Amino acid sequence: MITEAFTIPFFKIKIDLDFSKLYTLLGELNTQEHELVVGGVSSYINDQDILATIPSLKTVFEHHANLYAKEIGIGKIRITNSWHNVYSKGHKTLHHHHHGSVISGAYYAKAGDNSSPIIFENPFYKFRGAEESIEVTPYSCNENKFDIEDGMLILFPSWITHYTLPNESDERIVISFNTEHTNEN
């Protein structure tokens, strides 16, 4: 009988919002090219918190991040910085992780049809020795894909490497954020 140990928890929930107001607000923010966003643009600037301009949304994201944090036993957290990325067809995000953060989040304000999944690399895969996989299972895979849709929030450990394949939808807008511990119980 298999007993799991050292599992990596993720958190997924659909949050429906009034996207028209959100698009208007995001459209007013400055964006620029970013080395990790191939072809797309980003509002990423170190220590910037775009969610501070949308306090109700920040509260919702922090609430879900704290539910996740409590479930995995790490204590209360707060959002420290946030940004948004805009992708058109063919744009992608390169392999990266979020150094210096506890939990990171990606909210798909707009995914559209055929939006490429977010892909997380299995951190244990590189430590596998001589074992050969004859079948892909949750224990033998080298990555895990999460299909996305409008309104989906995905929370994950910041240290896990992730990326996307080229986007297949006409437009994808993602609000991302990082967190830190609050030293509160």
Side-chain angles (χ1 to χ4, degrees), residues 105-125:
Y107 177 72
Y108 294 88
K110 184 176 183 181
D113 295 333
N114 302 316
S115 191
S116 298
I118 184 169
I119 302 170
F120 295 93
E121 292 183 354
N122 181 346
F124 305 122
Y125 190 77

Side-chain angles (χ1 to χ4, degrees), residues 34-38 42 44 83 85 87 92-99 101 104-106 108 118-121 156-165 172 174 176-178:
H34 189 278
E35 62 188 23
L36 295 175
V37 182
V38 178
S42 178
Y44 181 83
W83 62 97
N85 298 331
Y87 305 83
K92 65 181 182 177
T93 304
L94 299 178
H95 294 69
H96 69 286
H97 66 278
H98 296 235
H99 181 76
S101 176
S104 293
Y108 294 88
I118 184 169
I119 302 170
F120 295 93
E121 292 183 354
F156 51 92
S158 299
W159 52 261
I160 195 162
T161 300
H162 55 285
Y163 67 99
T164 66
L165 297 173
R172 175 163 67 190
V174 184
S176 299
F177 59 88
N178 290 322

Side-chain angles (χ1 to χ4, degrees), residues 20-175:
S20 60
K21 288 181 183 178
L22 186 58
Y23 295 148
T24 301
L25 191 58
L26 294 176
E28 295 170 357
L29 297 172
N30 291 329
T31 58
Q32 59 192 11
E33 292 182 4
H34 189 278
E35 62 188 23
L36 295 175
V37 182
V38 178
V41 293
S42 178
S43 65
Y44 181 83
I45 298 172
N46 286 336
D47 300 325
Q48 176 177 295
D49 183 11
I50 67 160
L51 288 172
T53 64
I54 319 169
S56 58
L57 186 56
K58 184 174 184 174
T59 299
V60 169
F61 290 168
E62 280 185 338
H63 169 75
H64 290 293
N66 276 297
L67 290 176
Y68 174 50
K70 183 176 181 179
E71 184 68 26
I72 62 175
I74 63 169
K76 288 192 130 199
I77 57 170
R78 69 173 162 250
I79 293 174
T80 54
N81 66 324
S82 60
W83 62 97
H84 80 293
N85 298 331
V86 180
Y87 305 83
S88 294
K89 194 170 277 199
H91 299 168
K92 65 181 182 177
T93 304
L94 299 178
H95 294 69
H96 69 286
H97 66 278
H98 296 235
H99 181 76
S101 176
V102 179
I103 290 172
S104 293
Y107 177 72
Y108 294 88
K110 184 176 183 181
D113 295 333
N114 302 316
S115 191
S116 298
I118 184 169
I119 302 170
F120 295 93
E121 292 183 354
N122 181 346
F124 305 122
Y125 190 77
K126 63 185 167 194
F127 299 111
R128 294 179 68 191
E131 61 199 75
E132 292 182 25
S133 299
I134 58 170
E135 182 180 345
V136 176
T137 72
Y139 308 103
S140 68
C141 65
N142 64 348
E143 60 189 24
N144 197 337
K145 298 176 184 177
F146 287 87
D147 291 327
I148 58 172
E149 60 185 85
D150 291 349
M152 181 175 288
L153 172 65
I154 299 176
L155 302 171
F156 51 92
S158 299
W159 52 261
I160 195 162
T161 300
H162 55 285
Y163 67 99
T164 66
L165 297 173
N167 184 41
E168 295 297 325
S169 67
D170 291 331
E171 182 179 47
R172 175 163 67 190
I173 300 172
V174 184
I175 298 172

